[in-house]
Amino acid sequence: MQAVITGASGHLGASLIPALLDESTKVRVVAHRNRAPFAGLDVEVVDGDVLRPETLAEAFRGADEVYHLAAQSHVGLSFEMPVHTADVVAMGTARLLEAVAQQGDPAEDRVAGGIIPEAGHLGHVVGIFQVIAPDGRSGGQG
């Protein structure tokens, strides 16, 4: 199983990495800036940014699961930079879905997932997406 995490340096992402590794899941993180939370862990690091779709294609290649945790979650910055916040949250999610969908033959794979507002964080959206084959099998499962 290959999992990809955006927002891996945030609180949720940094907590998710060890849980996935404990399940023997291969973890790839899309790193935008801060790498300290996953330094020393057995993860593959790909430089990327949900605002720059050209950086995402390699990150999602071969992914079975995508944990989209990237967001601008600082309340103060959400008020100071509302357009940027909306771009990261809404357009970042759209760009991510497009990048994931482009990884396989669109006739053979589709992307299913959900977006869940994280309680207590204005402007923070959490999405968990799994690549699903048309017959309902999860990608990477035989």
Side-chain angles (χ1 to χ4, degrees), residues 22 33 38 40 45 47-48 61 67 82 93 100-101 105 108 117 123 134-135 138-139:
D22 285 348
R33 288 188 206 125
F38 43 85
V45 179
D47 291 320
R61 194 160 279 122
Y67 295 87
T93 299
V100 170
D105 179 348
E108 294 181 18
D135 63 5
S138 168

Side-chain angles (χ1 to χ4, degrees), residues 5 7-23 25 27-29 37-39 41-43 69:
I5 304 173
S9 62
H11 176 72
L12 292 174
S15 298
L16 178 60
I17 292 170
L20 291 172
L21 292 172
D22 285 348
E23 295 176 358
T25 300
V27 176
R28 181 180 305 139
V29 298
F38 43 85
L41 297 177
D42 186 19
V43 299
L69 307 175

Side-chain angles (χ1 to χ4, degrees), residues 26-103:
K26 294 179 185 176
V27 176
R28 181 180 305 139
V29 298
V30 179
H32 179 220
R33 288 188 206 125
N34 183 10
R35 290 168 166 71
F38 43 85
L41 297 177
D42 186 19
V43 299
E44 177 186 354
V45 179
V46 175
D47 291 320
D49 182 347
V50 295
L51 296 179
R52 295 180 22 238
E54 70 277 5
T55 68
L56 300 177
E58 184 61 32
F60 302 121
R61 194 160 279 122
D64 299 306
E65 297 178 334
V66 175
Y67 295 87
H68 177 41
L69 307 175
Q72 193 299 100
S73 62
H74 301 282
V75 175
L77 289 177
S78 296
F79 286 106
E80 291 173 26
M81 301 169 31
V83 173
H84 174 74
T85 299
D87 194 28
V88 170
V89 173
M91 294 307 297
T93 299
R95 289 179 184 113
L96 175 136
L97 289 171
E98 185 173 69
V100 170
Q102 291 175 354
Q103 293 310 304

